[in-house]
Amino acid sequence: MEKIKNLKEGIGLTLENRPVTTWVNEIFGYQWESPSEISIHLENAQDKKLGEKLKLLRGGLKSIAKMVKSNLDIKLVSAVSWIITERPRLMETLGFIIDKTSGKAKEYRNKYLKALSQEGTVVPLEKKGVEPGYAYIMREKLLELYD
């Protein structure tokens, strides 16, 4: 439980071959995938009402947009999660493109599934069997919507 507490406090969880998550707010974090890409991560927020979740999610995207605006190298913000599979319209409403077929989508799904077996990975038990979806938003669209 200490590792999870540290993760939420922004210290990060360092696992072999896994970047550290930086938390923007209590449910929204990001990791650097490469110098030109960051991936977003959502903490379990079952205890929050829908309106509060959406406010935190949009606030997280606004924070990411500020970072993207000041860093010209970032071209892509991605996500891979069971949430994308179960709530694709949410991601599309937020400006993300759902990608089910590209090589990158397959690579990220495999990476996600491998991470599920590692200590410290937090996914609700009932969602561990859900095939993860992959979505992304390009720099220009992110800034148009959230800057």
Side-chain angles (χ1 to χ4, degrees):
M1 205 54 181
E2 184 65 27
K3 287 181 181 179
I4 301 305
K5 181 176 181 272
N6 287 343
L7 180 66
K8 287 183 179 178
E9 291 172 356
I11 295 169
L13 179 64
T14 55
L15 296 173
E16 190 174 326
N17 299 322
R18 184 169 168 190
V20 173
T21 301
T22 301
W23 292 96
V24 173
N25 62 39
E26 58 192 283
I27 70 163
F28 189 97
Y30 69 91
Q31 294 177 346
W32 287 93
E33 297 295 333
S34 74
S36 63
E37 179 183 356
I38 56 175
S39 61
I40 62 169
H41 301 274
L42 299 177
E43 179 69 17
N44 186 348
Q46 292 177 339
D47 60 330
K48 304 210 177 308
K49 293 182 180 178
L50 180 59
E52 187 177 359
K53 289 179 199 178
L54 290 173
K55 183 178 177 183
L56 289 166
L57 180 56
R58 286 191 178 105
L61 288 167
K62 285 181 180 191
S63 294
I64 293 294
K66 285 179 187 173
M67 185 173 65
V68 167
K69 187 176 184 177
S70 67
N71 185 334
L72 298 177
D73 291 335
I74 303 172
K75 305 295 184 208
L76 181 78
V77 176
S78 63
V80 61
S81 174
W82 62 268
I83 297 168
I84 298 164
T85 301
E86 291 196 349
R87 306 268 188 240
R89 294 282 302 135
L90 169 65
M91 295 304 289
E92 290 169 337
T93 300
L94 293 169
F96 283 76
I97 296 169
I98 308 297
D99 177 357
K100 297 179 181 179
T101 59
S102 75
K104 190 166 201 164
K106 292 173 186 172
E107 173 191 342
Y108 276 53
R109 280 194 299 271
N110 289 338
K111 200 161 118 176
Y112 175 95
L113 293 170
K114 183 179 177 186
L116 284 180
S117 65
Q118 295 180 337
E119 179 185 347
T121 301
V122 182
V123 172
L125 187 58
E126 69 274 11
K127 303 300 181 186
K128 287 202 177 202
V130 176
E131 180 75 19
Y134 172 75
Y136 65 91
I137 185 170
M138 299 303 294
R139 169 193 186 81
E140 297 78 16
K141 186 69 171 178
L142 180 80
L143 293 175
E144 173 189 322
L145 294 173
Y146 298 102
D147 181 36

